[in-house]
Amino acid sequence: QVQLVESGGGLVQPGGSLRLSCAASGSIFSINSMGWYRQVLGKQRDLVATITSGGSANYADSVKGRFTISRDNAKNTVYLQMNSLKPEDTAVYFCNGDVRTRAYIYSSYVYWGQGTQVTVSS
């Protein structure tokens, strides 16, 4: 099986920075796209950013110019550098990965992490 584990969340003041990490482990053959999403209690889970295995990134308009997604394919890890944080960025942040496992290399499945809380408050 495959596990994704996020880390790096916490409490930060407005204008501050945080860096989230998400490491995938298990019986991984390859990972196509990876991404970050966020969810506020009682609301839907929204896209923050995605990145392909080749490094092409896509961002939600609300985070463009402030957040940067990157990945280390050798480590099966995706990162989210968050700068100029605002109170409205407060949410649980989830990562996902479109994974081909060694058992089923001709198909892929999207796995999710358990989430990490980011709170932006003074």
Side-chain angles (χ1 to χ4, degrees):
Q1 283 296 338
V2 174
Q3 300 83 37
L4 276 71
V5 179
E6 300 101 335
S7 61
L11 173 65
V12 63
Q13 292 186 344
S17 298
L18 279 176
R19 189 190 193 212
L20 305 182
S21 300
C22 172
S25 63
S27 183
I28 298 171
F29 177 75
S30 65
I31 305 179
N32 302 322
S33 64
M34 301 186 79
W36 289 96
Y37 293 72
R38 64 188 181 187
Q39 187 171 23
V40 176
L41 188 63
K43 297 189 176 182
Q44 69 180 18
R45 190 172 297 185
D46 293 325
L47 168 74
V48 176
T50 61
I51 187 167
T52 67
S53 57
S56 295
N58 177 60
Y59 297 93
D61 288 342
S62 59
V63 306
K64 281 181 181 177
R66 300 188 298 122
F67 291 10
T68 302
I69 190 171
S70 61
R71 64 189 283 177
D72 184 331
N73 291 331
K75 295 181 179 180
N76 291 327
T77 299
V78 63
Y79 306 95
L80 186 68
Q81 177 66 43
M82 305 186 293
N83 299 327
S84 302
L85 282 160
K86 305 175 181 180
E88 51 264 43
D89 294 317
T90 296
V92 178
Y93 284 70
F94 297 88
C95 69
N96 75 3
D98 185 24
V99 180
R100 296 179 187 271
T101 64
R102 293 193 181 97
Y104 302 102
I105 64 172
Y106 297 110
S107 63
S108 62
Y109 183 81
V110 177
Y111 292 85
W112 289 86
Q114 81 289 347
T116 185
Q117 177 71 47
V118 171
T119 302
V120 184
S121 175
S122 55

